[in-house]
Amino acid sequence: SYDLFLHNCNNFSNDFAMFLVGKGIPDYITSLPQTVLSTPFGQMLKPQLDSAMRGITQAPAAPAGILQTRPNGSVRPLMNRQSPNSSNGINGAQITTGIVHYATTLKKLDALLQSAKSSCAVIFFTSATCPPCKLVYPAYDELAAEAAGMAYLIKVDLSEAYEVGVRYQVRATPMFMSFLRGQKENEWVGANESQLRGNVRMLVQMAHPPHPHTQMMLRTLQRHHQAVTYAKTPPLEKLIAKLGLRGNDSAVTALKDFVATREASGALEAPLPNLPSISNYIRDCLENRPVDVLFPVIDLLRCALVDSRISGYFAGEPFNETITTILQKIDSLAESCPYNLRIVTLHMACNLFTSPPLATQLLQRNHLLSPLIQLVAFSLLDTSHPPIRVAATTLAFNVAAVNHVRRLDGKEDILPESAQVELAASLLEAVSREEENKDGLKGLLTAIGLLVYAAPREGELAEVCSALGAKSIVKEKRAGGDDLENLAAEIEKVL
């Protein structure tokens, strides 16, 4: 749904432009709302804007009695509450947050409170003969939507649930009772909307205190970062010539023509080639051809992956077979992998992030993530080839940035903590070794910062960073100009 700061018209325009022409709108436009929010004024203004926009961005509750058509053609009343007979977590069903839960028996209420034992819950005691209760129904519904995933808001009609009123000694309505981590926290009476909103929001904040990093002023770490890609196209004829007779294959010709047309005339003028045949050709080369043939194949694929339609195809491929085969092949070569093949594979992997679905899969699916992290870790510690380390740093940045954006948007991590730990350890080791390339060092530090920003305070990542002396490692690299010093200072704060 629309959100003025996190999901606005600029985000839609960026996605639409990426789909149409393979290129998004400038980062300084899409990140502008986050830049505003990172200021004290923005943080002060956000609650007022959220309140003002809620009536526009959220559809009003349907009046009782309006009928909604079911897929099978039957109809049912549409009400802005959970049906007393609907599933509420009893008998193995999962309770849904984000709505007002309706409890008519002690058993149902106990099940709801048990589900909220690790967070918080509010019970609204009402009755059919209580006109003041109806005054706060809309506010209570709004609070349930606002606290989705963080709190259980329950409504009990005492005319239907007399036994509940007896247990909780309800003598007047409307009456509210709040619970924090299984224990009663507060109780109040009256149809005071301001008091209701204030008490519920305070309860949610107590159950889910904001991460301390969000209270800091961090110019780099508190904005969205887009993936870095390698879009430069080499002389295609020379590249194809390296394949010898294999360069005459129809799959190679189709892919070369696509890249050349897109480069010359833009994505709109470049129809997609036969991607299944290209995938089969690539896998055949990986499995049956000598290593020296692989570089032009992977480089041609890298050029094509700049187009999100191509990378999107590989997101839909069963088990991501082609990309998985490439990553596993390069990892299996280890130190025997030629320099040009390793670096072009790193560049190719960076271009996979042009497709948001594929970027998500790279972090979620172990058959992709495991060889990807291995490729990054091995390449970061290459002492002989600085360009390899820079390319590996870029790939690590892309991985960290995808997970970091989710944290900024208030969503759960998709990068497993074990992978975060392995990636952070490799990055810290690379930082401690890096003496030559200041741009490479800046990339390493940024990747570390994106990994640790808003990470769980008691998690394994924090423990490993502490054990490895991450703060000291970063502090030693501050003397590299104002930009590097400011970035290192931010990372020290979050460490």
Side-chain angles (χ1 to χ4, degrees):
S1 62
Y2 180 85
D3 186 285
L4 182 63
F5 293 101
L6 302 178
H7 195 237
N8 54 40
C9 56
N10 287 336
N11 300 110
F12 171 79
S13 299
N14 183 65
D15 292 343
F16 195 48
M18 185 67 72
F19 174 76
L20 288 178
V21 299
K23 182 178 180 181
I25 62 179
D27 179 54
Y28 70 86
I29 295 177
T30 56
S31 64
L32 184 59
Q34 196 61 39
T35 303
V36 174
L37 282 181
S38 66
T39 65
F41 178 74
Q43 295 174 11
M44 178 184 69
L45 195 61
K46 188 175 188 301
Q48 285 83 358
L49 287 174
D50 283 344
S51 178
M53 293 295 293
R54 185 173 291 113
I56 301 172
T57 62
Q58 296 183 4
I66 290 181
L67 299 181
Q68 182 184 54
T69 304
R70 284 179 171 147
N72 62 8
S74 62
V75 296
R76 65 176 175 85
L78 181 66
M79 296 182 291
N80 192 40
R81 71 180 188 182
Q82 184 184 15
S83 167
N85 298 319
S86 64
S87 173
N88 57 17
I90 302 171
N91 300 324
Q94 183 178 3
I95 296 175
T96 305
T97 55
I99 62 173
V100 174
H101 299 275
Y102 191 74
T104 56
T105 65
L106 280 172
K107 185 178 179 180
K108 291 182 179 180
L109 180 59
D110 289 343
L112 288 165
L113 292 177
Q114 180 63 32
S115 297
K117 202 167 185 178
S118 61
S119 56
C120 60
V122 179
I123 306 175
F124 178 2
F125 297 101
T126 180
S127 70
T129 58
C130 174
C133 295
K134 298 178 182 179
L135 296 176
V136 290
Y137 281 179
Y140 199 68
D141 292 344
E142 288 179 13
L143 288 167
E146 183 181 310
M150 296 184 290
Y152 287 77
L153 270 67
I154 307 164
K155 189 181 290 185
V156 176
D157 189 335
L158 296 177
S159 59
E160 300 176 7
Y162 177 77
E163 58 182 348
V164 176
V166 173
R167 175 194 281 185
Y168 291 96
Q169 300 179 1
V170 180
R171 295 183 175 86
T173 56
M175 174 176 166
F176 301 88
M177 195 173 291
S178 60
F179 295 81
L180 178 63
R181 299 188 182 91
Q183 301 296 319
K184 181 178 176 181
E185 192 272 333
N186 194 9
E187 176 184 320
W188 69 98
V189 177
N192 187 324
E193 182 178 329
S194 298
Q195 182 184 22
L196 172 63
R197 291 184 183 275
N199 286 350
V200 172
R201 286 169 176 163
M202 182 178 296
L203 178 72
V204 172
Q205 191 168 31
M206 291 168 63
H208 306 278
H211 199 290
H213 292 173
T214 63
Q215 311 301 312
M216 301 176 182
M217 291 296 294
L218 306 168
R219 185 173 61 90
T220 299
L221 302 183
Q222 288 177 335
R223 66 181 181 89
H224 287 64
H225 292 268
Q226 293 186 341
V228 177
T229 57
Y230 291 86
K232 185 176 180 180
T233 303
L236 294 177
E237 295 299 334
K238 291 183 179 180
L239 185 66
I240 302 303
K242 295 179 181 179
L243 288 170
L245 294 177
R246 294 283 295 174
N248 296 325
D249 192 287
S250 59
V252 176
T253 302
L255 193 57
K256 182 199 73 171
D257 291 344
F258 170 79
V259 172
T261 302
R262 190 183 189 282
E263 177 78 7
S265 306
L268 291 176
E269 303 300 324
L272 291 176
N274 187 335
L275 292 173
S277 68
I278 291 171
S279 298
N280 291 334
Y281 174 84
I282 294 172
R283 292 198 300 272
D284 178 65
C285 289
L286 290 164
E287 295 167 2
N288 303 312
R289 303 298 168 182
V291 172
D292 57 1
V293 175
L294 299 183
F295 166 75
V297 174
I298 304 301
D299 200 26
L300 191 59
L301 176 62
R302 171 193 66 81
C303 296
L305 284 169
V306 172
D307 193 306
S308 60
R309 295 173 296 171
I310 301 291
S311 53
Y313 165 80
F314 290 106
E317 189 180 41
F319 305 105
N320 311 102
E321 188 176 3
T322 302
I323 303 304
T324 302
T325 304
I326 294 172
L327 296 174
Q328 291 177 343
K329 177 68 174 181
I330 303 307
D331 286 341
S332 68
L333 294 174
E335 294 182 354
S336 65
C337 182
Y339 164 79
N340 63 350
L341 179 57
R342 178 170 292 278
I343 195 167
V344 79
T345 302
L346 289 164
H347 292 172
M348 180 278 301
C350 289
N351 289 359
L352 297 174
F353 288 82
T354 56
S355 165
L358 185 53
T360 299
Q361 293 172 9
L362 286 167
L363 273 64
Q364 284 184 321
R365 297 182 175 180
N366 190 59
H367 63 264
L368 288 170
L369 179 62
S370 181
L372 186 72
I373 295 296
Q374 184 177 340
L375 174 66
V376 172
F378 188 91
S379 302
L380 281 173
L381 304 181
D382 186 324
T383 57
S384 304
H385 305 100
I388 291 281
R389 298 199 298 274
V390 171
T393 298
T394 304
L395 182 53
F397 168 86
N398 286 355
V399 171
V402 171
N403 198 62
H404 173 258
V405 166
R406 291 184 62 86
R407 288 178 180 169
L408 289 178
D409 293 345
K411 301 176 182 177
E412 292 184 356
D413 287 1
I414 57 172
L415 182 63
E417 189 172 40
S418 59
Q420 295 182 41
V421 168
E422 185 175 355
L423 191 58
S426 300
L427 287 166
L428 288 168
E429 178 67 19
V431 168
S432 65
R433 294 185 181 188
E434 187 59 65
E435 302 290 346
E436 304 173 16
N437 191 323
K438 288 186 178 180
D439 288 336
L441 181 58
K442 184 177 180 180
L444 290 167
L445 291 174
T446 304
I448 292 172
L450 299 185
L451 276 177
V452 299
Y453 177 80
R457 287 167 285 180
E458 305 298 330
E460 188 178 350
L461 178 61
E463 292 178 4
V464 168
C465 287
S466 177
L468 295 177
K471 196 168 185 177
S472 298
I473 292 174
V474 173
K475 189 173 184 177
E476 291 177 0
K477 302 297 179 178
R478 291 184 67 164
D482 290 342
D483 287 347
L484 199 58
E485 184 169 350
N486 292 336
L487 175 61
E490 284 192 27
I491 298 170
E492 285 181 52
K493 288 181 181 180
V494 298
L495 285 170

